[in-house]
Amino acid sequence: AVQYVKGASDGAESALRAFLEVAPDSARVHGLLASTLLYTGRAAEALGHADRAIALDPHPAHRFSDRAEIRLVLGHPEGARSDFARAARIDPEDARVQMGLLWMRLQDGDLPGAAEHARRAFVLAPSDAFVRLRVGLLWLEAGAYRPALESFQDAVRLRPDFELAQMRLAIEYARVGRVEAAR
């Protein structure tokens, strides 16, 4: 499975780089390449493409949310906080923006505020299993195991074939001693 994902990412990266040869000022392609590079472990390289996407077209909120994710991976939480705040000013009705605000509230120790942003993300993306998974991972990182478990359960309910969500759910079931459910 890892090789398949790696192969798909390599193919996507090649196609995006080829497209940039003919359309070097495509904000969308720079943004997609930034995401591809981030998910293949090259966050430092991804940052340059995220910056370029924003320089070319700073209006979509997701451009700032995407760059914030890259900054988190690179260990720059203040830059991430600034980008999430900027994204929220542009479009607070974006589920990814709400996930960024959730992260900010968790960093501030504001669990009720974080829960409200999780709820908003779910309302804005009611059938998106990835949003449930991402919110669950944020809860997990904060040590809030019950809402993490519930988020992973929702992700698997929405998309039963979502292997990463299944794995996370199994780990959480094992954590609470539900061995049969974990299997």
Side-chain angles (χ1 to χ4, degrees), residues 27-56:
R28 180 173 166 77
V29 175
H30 279 287
L32 289 169
L33 185 54
S35 293
T36 301
L37 292 168
L38 174 64
Y39 291 114
T40 57
R42 293 180 284 164
E45 190 178 350
L47 183 59
H49 288 284
D51 288 342
R52 183 75 176 128
I54 288 169
L56 290 165

Side-chain angles (χ1 to χ4, degrees), residues 52-84:
R52 183 75 176 128
I54 288 169
L56 290 165
D57 182 9
H59 184 68
H62 71 83
R63 295 217 201 286
F64 289 95
S65 294
D66 292 348
R67 186 170 71 181
E69 292 285 338
I70 293 166
R71 286 178 162 175
L72 285 175
V73 170
L74 291 173
H76 304 133
E78 288 310 312
R81 184 178 284 271
S82 173
D83 277 345
F84 282 135

Side-chain angles (χ1 to χ4, degrees), residues 1 129-130 132-134 137 140 148-175 178-183:
F130 179 77
R132 298 299 198 284
L133 173 66
R134 185 71 181 106
L137 292 171
L140 196 60
L149 174 67
E150 291 168 358
S151 295
F152 298 145
Q153 287 171 325
D154 284 348
V156 171
R157 179 184 49 77
L158 285 169
R159 205 173 120 201
D161 64 336
F162 194 0
E163 292 178 0
L164 186 53
Q166 290 172 344
M167 181 188 71
R168 287 299 181 168
L169 180 57
I171 291 168
E172 288 313 297
Y173 278 148
R175 182 191 310 277
R178 294 180 59 187
V179 177
E180 286 306 312
R183 282 194 188 120

Side-chain angles (χ1 to χ4, degrees), residues 92-95 98 114-126 131:
E93 298 303 304
D94 181 300
Q98 290 298 316
E116 178 56 25
H117 289 297
R119 187 193 67 76
R120 286 293 303 143
F122 294 162
V123 166
L124 292 166
V131 169

